């Protein structure tokens, strides 16, 4: 695609509230059409208010965008970068209208998820369809949107997480540092959704496992655990488990004296990371008198910005794709046209799902 003239990059993310007044409308956006009871939203809303009604996600995304803009300038690529969210401002449809008014014709799209599956991949294709529909409804010239590929096994993503693990290990008390258990965590999803997460079953959990393995071995660990967090919904519906807090309690009961917890499933330290790991897990670790270090995430690092630009150059310069893994990694999609209709389906029960603990 080196012959295509791209004139913009869309940084496409989940979105998060930026003040107390934003929280309820944001949660209603996230859960619209899912039959979530108001009392459940009340519960989650209080979690956000505990942090001033602000999710760190938007600020962190703006930091990443600044880093990417600097890296684009360094390598001489002229792309205007636009910020778009699914659930809060700047909303994807509004960003699309601004792009069309600015005369953008061919845009690349970086989605802030490393993974396959419905939530990690296909929903971003649906966001692109929403952007195109907004442009068409306004009668503005069409834009071609080309979404960049999955990056779960990109060497620069893995390198950033290896550094994070080693930094956290060095922070542990000297007497337990070498005995630390390495535990990776990612967002849980229903087992049915994972089974339908791609052209191969369990694509999401397999990719998360492979990324964890790549990081663990390069960080000097021969063994590691992969667990999950932020499950929600009807307790009768099975989700990926074990939960991170339950797992730490379990390994402590079996003799583990310390742990490094790496939220590999998350690009940035948004609310789910801050609440589930820095609040709930940290509180449990105190009760257990167990030293635990939670690693930083990859998003704000120089490696991450360089990775995004490499993904861009796969299209602008025909740069060869660098991958370390063996699991499938979907190529780009154009104009939100996803893979086969039965690929990456939601598999979400219609009226029982509730938002993740912290969304």
């Amino acid at each position: 695609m080196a012959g295509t003239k791209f004139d913009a990059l869309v940084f496409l993310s989940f979105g998060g509230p930026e003040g107390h007044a934003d929280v309820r409308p944001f949660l209603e956006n996230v859960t619209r059409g899912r039959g979530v009871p108001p009392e459940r939203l009340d519960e989650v809303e209080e979690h956000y208010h505990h942090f001033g009604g602000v999710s760190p996600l938007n600020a962190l995304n703006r930091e990443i965008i600044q880093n990417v803009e600097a890296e684009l300038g360094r390598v001489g690529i002229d792309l205007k970068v636009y910020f778009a969210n699914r659930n809060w401002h700047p909303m994807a449809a509004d960003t699309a209208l601004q792009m069309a008014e600015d005369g953008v014709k061919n845009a690349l799209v970086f989605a802030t998820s490393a993974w396959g599956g419905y939530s990690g991949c296909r929903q971003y294709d649906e966001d692109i369809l929403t952007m195109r529909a907004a442009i068409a409804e306004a009668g503005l010239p069409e834009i071609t949107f080309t979404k960049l590929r999955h990056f779960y096994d990109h060497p620069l993503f893995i390198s950033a997480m290896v550094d994070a693990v080693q930094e956290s290990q060095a922070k542990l008390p000297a007497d337990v540092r070498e005995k630390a258990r390495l535990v990776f965590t990612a967002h849980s999803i229903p087992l049915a959704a994972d089974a339908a997460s791609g052209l191969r079953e369990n694509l999401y959990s397999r990719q998360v496992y492979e990324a964890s393995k790549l990081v663990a071995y390069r960080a000097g660990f021969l063994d590691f655990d992969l667990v999950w967090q932020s499950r929600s919904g009807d307790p009768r519906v099975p989700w990926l488990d074990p939960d991170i807090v339950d797992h730490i309690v379990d390994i402590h009961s079996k003799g583990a004296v310390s742990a490094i917890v790496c939220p590999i499933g998350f690009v940035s330290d948004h609310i789910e990371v801050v609440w589930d790991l820095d609040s709930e897990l940290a509180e449990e670790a105190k009760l257990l008198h167990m030293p635990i270090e939670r690693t930083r995430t990859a998003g704000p690092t120089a490696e991450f910005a360089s990775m995004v630009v490499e993904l861009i150059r796969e299209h602008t310069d025909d740069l060869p794709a660098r991958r370390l893994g063996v699991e499938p990694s979907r190529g780009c999609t154009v104009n939100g046209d996803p893979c086969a209709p039965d690929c990456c389906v939601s598999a979400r029960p219609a009226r029982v799902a509730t938002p993740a603990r912290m969304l």
Side-chain angles (χ1 to χ4, degrees):
M1 300 180 72
T4 302
K5 173 63 175 176
F6 294 101
D7 46 8
L9 171 71
V10 182
F11 192 91
L12 183 58
S13 191
F14 186 85
E18 298 186 274
H20 288 293
D22 299 344
V23 175
R24 190 66 174 213
F26 162 74
L27 294 177
E28 290 170 352
N29 284 341
V30 174
T31 60
R32 184 169 290 115
R34 299 185 186 180
V36 178
E39 56 271 19
R40 176 56 178 155
L41 293 187
D42 294 341
E43 178 186 346
V44 178
E45 187 175 354
E46 284 307 309
H47 292 158
Y48 277 94
H49 291 313
H50 177 77
F51 294 100
V54 178
S55 165
L57 188 55
N58 274 4
L60 290 166
N61 281 337
R62 291 186 180 104
E63 180 181 354
I64 297 170
I65 288 169
Q66 289 180 344
N67 293 341
V68 169
E69 288 174 331
E71 182 67 8
L72 286 170
R74 189 187 70 80
V75 300
I77 296 178
D78 183 20
L79 289 178
K80 184 171 181 179
V81 183
Y82 292 84
F83 183 20
N85 282 326
R86 180 182 307 145
N87 297 299
W88 199 246
H89 306 287
M91 301 295 286
D94 295 336
T95 297
L97 294 177
Q98 184 61 60
M99 294 171 66
E101 290 171 359
D102 290 347
V104 172
K105 300 299 182 187
N106 289 291
L108 293 166
V109 181
F110 175 77
T112 55
S113 168
W115 321 105
Y118 178 73
S119 297
C121 180
R122 190 172 186 130
Q123 269 197 298
Y124 290 101
D125 290 322
E126 294 172 356
D127 294 335
I128 293 172
L129 294 176
T130 297
M131 296 172 78
R132 294 181 65 210
I135 293 170
E137 186 175 348
L140 293 169
E142 185 175 357
I143 297 174
T144 299
F145 293 94
T146 302
K147 183 158 72 73
L148 304 177
R149 66 176 174 88
H150 299 163
F151 57 86
Y152 78 95
D153 62 349
H154 193 286
L156 291 174
F157 176 65
I158 298 301
S159 173
M161 298 314 298
V162 169
D163 290 345
V165 167
Q166 292 175 333
E167 289 167 9
S168 289
Q169 184 177 27
K171 294 176 183 176
L172 286 167
D175 59 331
V176 296
R177 189 174 300 152
E178 299 305 317
K179 301 174 185 176
R181 188 72 185 170
L182 179 56
V183 182
F184 293 93
T185 184
H187 203 301
S188 184
I189 62 173
L191 294 184
D194 191 42
S197 64
L199 296 175
R200 294 180 62 182
E201 285 191 359
N202 311 114
L203 180 61
Y204 169 69
S205 60
R206 292 164 73 104
Q207 287 183 344
V208 176
Y209 174 82
E210 184 157 354
S212 301
K213 181 175 68 174
L214 290 168
V215 171
Y217 292 175
R218 283 162 176 75
F221 289 80
L222 298 179
D223 199 9
F224 65 91
D225 301 328
L226 173 59
V227 301
W228 309 92
Q229 65 179 84
S230 309
R231 77 142 290 162
S232 63
D234 190 327
R236 296 168 296 180
V237 176
W239 285 50
L240 292 169
D241 59 15
D243 174 78
I244 175 62
V245 177
D246 294 340
H247 181 70
I248 290 297
V249 171
D250 180 56
I251 64 173
H252 179 267
S253 71
K254 295 174 181 176
V257 295
S258 63
I260 303 161
V261 173
C262 177
I264 196 164
F266 303 89
V267 165
S268 300
D269 289 8
H270 55 74
I271 285 286
E272 284 180 331
V273 174
V274 173
W275 181 261
D276 292 350
L277 303 184
D278 298 347
S279 298
E280 289 188 343
L281 178 61
E283 194 61 36
E284 190 64 40
K286 260 186 210 177
L287 295 174
L288 297 173
H289 303 288
M290 182 179 182
I292 293 179
E293 285 291 335
R294 195 269 288 178
T295 76
R296 57 177 171 80
T297 44
T301 65
E303 291 104 322
F304 195 84
S306 295
M307 179 202 73
V308 174
V309 173
E310 276 200 18
L311 296 176
I312 290 168
R313 293 183 65 198
E314 290 177 14
H315 295 269
T316 61
D317 303 338
D318 276 344
L319 195 74
R322 293 206 294 154
R323 296 189 57 220
L324 296 173
V326 297
E327 287 299 321
S329 179
R330 270 190 46 202
C332 65
T333 58
V334 179
N335 280 344
D337 183 18
C339 42
D342 59 347
C343 178
C344 302
V345 295
S346 172
R348 190 186 349 246
R351 298 288 294 178
V352 298
T354 62
R357 280 201 295 258
M358 292 306 300
L359 296 167

